[in-house]
Amino acid sequence: MKIKQIIIAGTLLVSVASFAQKDELKALKKIYAKDEIKGDDLAEYKSLVNKVQPLAVEEGDKVYANFYKCMIPVLESNAIDKTMTPLQIQMQLAKLVSPNAITDLATGLNATLDYEKKTGKKIQTDEINETITSFKPDLMNYAVALGNQKKYKEAAEVLYSIYQLDKKDLETLYYAANYAVEGLDYDKALTYYKELKAANYTGEGTLYYAKNKATGTDESFPLKDSRDNLVRLGTHILPREEKIPSKKGEIVRNIALILIQQGKTDEATGAISEARKENPNDVGLITSQADIYLKANDIVNYQKLINEALEKNPNDPDLIFNLGVTSSNAGKLEDAEKYYRKVIELKPTYIDAYTNLADLILKPDAKIVEEMNKLTTSEKDNKKYEALKVERKKLFNKAMPILEKAHELDSKNEVIKSNLKSVYSFLELMDKTKALKEEK
């Protein structure tokens, strides 16, 4: 008898809790339905959320309790005094928003959308879609701000949460992956890149540009009609278009490079090989596969693939520059010089080609100096010393115009300036040395 009484008492407690929970959910729904929620209403709303969450038992009640909780930062941001200055508003938002809050928001809203799709009752669906549309630009700006502060992992987390709110926006997922790489969070980056690959994301498109007559600057437009309308109105001139190349090769390459970083070379090679079967003429994939061989120090296969890429794109300065680097590393200095000079011919502003070419020309100098230091003061060695000095002078004279051009292109580069100063000093060009020292 006593046991029965205990069970009945327990049942009554559950019933009371259930009724309390239903009442609090109704109260929450009532406050949430208001056009404006601030002050006492907001305080009561937050208090009810704290009360109802531990009491929720049924699936629907749990979903909506969590929905009301995850919306707190949104309601708090809506309650900010809009008469404040933009800077003050931004500072207030910074206190309310965090990567965790945005992740919770995405999780809560998606759970609610999934539940309402399953039940067929769209209670909050329209409201949620409006919230996503309304707050997405602010959340994107927040992610960019985190990136600018070098908080790359947090920026990636925010961008991924934004993507979770809008699964059609694969570009946001792409940037989340890039930020994850910047933040050295390779596990998440790999997950994001694989998701992009599975969705067959290429990132291809067209950007539409026109010059603003008032400011004189080029402006980009996502839609051709938007650009053309302004051109017709006469506010913009000189319309042009720019193709956005496919990012597919880059994505597969990054998957492969992360797998190599994780010691999964076979899986990385397989990922590239699979992609190349589908796109055998994709230069990006060819260079991605070449990168794997380079990482593995397989110079023969690396150069073979780079040459294959060059056959398809013979005037790509980056490809030719990479051939110069690997040729130099393999001790093929004549080939390396040929490649660097070809880069400069194709792209006269390619600074790295100038600096690498100058280093290449001066490479024998260390051996010459070593040989000079071994010589004695005998007449025979003195003659050899003078001959070696002439040889050094030829090297420095050959490297000088190349370093001068590099300095002209980047006068703030201290490494270039230091190397040029050494050349001037050896050649006893005191006026040039003095002028270089006096540069600010």
Side-chain angles (χ1 to χ4, degrees), residues 13 74 105 118 144 157 171 184 284 293 295 379 412 431:
L13 284 172
V74 174
L105 177 67
K118 183 175 78 173
V144 171
E157 186 181 339
E171 189 173 7
L184 307 181
Y293 284 120
K295 282 268 185 182
E379 186 178 346
K412 302 296 181 185
D431 289 345

Side-chain angles (χ1 to χ4, degrees), residues 164-419:
Q164 291 291 95
L165 291 168
D166 182 6
K167 287 290 187 77
K168 295 189 292 295
D169 187 3
L170 288 165
E171 189 173 7
T172 297
L173 177 60
Y174 169 76
Y175 286 117
N178 288 355
Y179 270 130
V181 170
E182 290 284 344
L184 307 181
D185 193 349
Y186 295 121
D187 288 339
K188 282 189 177 174
L190 185 60
T191 299
Y192 301 163
Y193 281 129
K194 282 184 173 180
E195 198 164 341
L196 285 164
K197 183 173 177 286
N200 202 30
Y201 171 75
T202 66
E204 287 178 289
T206 305
L207 281 175
Y208 302 94
Y209 290 91
K211 182 174 282 189
N212 186 317
K213 286 169 72 174
T215 63
T217 57
D218 268 2
E219 292 179 354
S220 65
F221 303 85
L223 299 174
K224 185 177 185 294
D225 288 346
S226 304
R227 190 271 315 272
D228 290 350
N229 284 337
L230 292 175
V231 172
R232 277 193 293 270
L233 288 169
T235 61
H236 290 66
I237 57 172
L238 302 175
R240 64 182 178 87
E241 296 175 10
E242 188 176 295
K243 292 289 181 185
I244 303 170
S246 172
K247 298 181 177 78
K248 196 168 186 176
E250 176 198 339
I251 289 164
V252 176
R253 182 194 70 212
N254 288 344
I255 289 172
L257 292 178
I258 292 169
L259 289 169
I260 289 171
Q261 179 84 15
Q262 296 175 336
K264 301 172 183 175
T265 307
D266 290 342
E267 192 179 340
T269 305
I272 289 284
S273 298
E274 179 191 343
R276 283 209 63 196
K277 283 177 187 174
E278 295 177 19
N279 305 276
N281 296 318
D282 188 319
V283 174
L285 289 175
I286 296 171
T287 55
S288 298
Q289 191 172 25
D291 283 343
I292 291 177
Y293 284 120
L294 183 61
K295 282 268 185 182
N297 205 30
D298 185 342
I299 303 302
V300 173
N301 277 314
Y302 172 82
Q303 289 185 315
K304 180 182 174 184
L305 284 163
I306 290 293
N307 280 317
E308 183 183 340
L310 278 172
E311 285 176 17
K312 300 179 187 303
N313 198 356
N315 294 320
D316 187 324
D318 291 328
L319 290 177
I320 300 168
F321 177 80
N322 286 340
L323 269 177
V325 172
T326 52
S327 296
S328 177
N329 291 341
K332 299 178 180 179
L333 304 189
E334 287 184 10
D335 287 346
E337 182 172 344
K338 177 185 72 175
Y339 290 130
Y340 290 141
R341 290 194 183 278
K342 180 65 176 176
V343 173
I344 291 167
E345 179 189 323
L346 290 168
K347 189 176 179 181
T349 57
Y350 205 123
I351 294 173
D352 287 344
Y354 288 99
T355 55
N356 281 24
L357 179 57
D359 286 344
L360 193 71
I361 290 167
L362 294 171
K363 200 177 186 74
D365 186 58
K367 193 174 181 180
I368 294 171
V369 170
E370 186 182 344
E371 194 174 345
M372 290 170 80
N373 289 334
K374 290 178 181 176
L375 297 173
T376 67
T377 56
S378 68
E379 186 178 346
K380 182 184 175 183
D381 279 358
N382 281 339
K383 284 181 181 179
K384 193 172 183 181
Y385 184 91
E386 289 303 318
L388 289 170
K389 191 175 177 182
V390 170
E391 200 175 325
R392 284 192 80 197
K393 198 170 183 178
K394 284 180 183 176
L395 291 178
F396 279 78
N397 275 315
K398 187 178 178 182
M400 184 173 66
I402 296 160
L403 284 169
E404 284 177 334
K405 183 61 180 178
H407 179 61
E408 180 188 319
L409 291 169
D410 186 4
S411 60
K412 302 296 181 185
N413 189 311
E414 292 300 325
V415 174
I416 295 172
K417 190 183 280 190
S418 175
N419 289 340

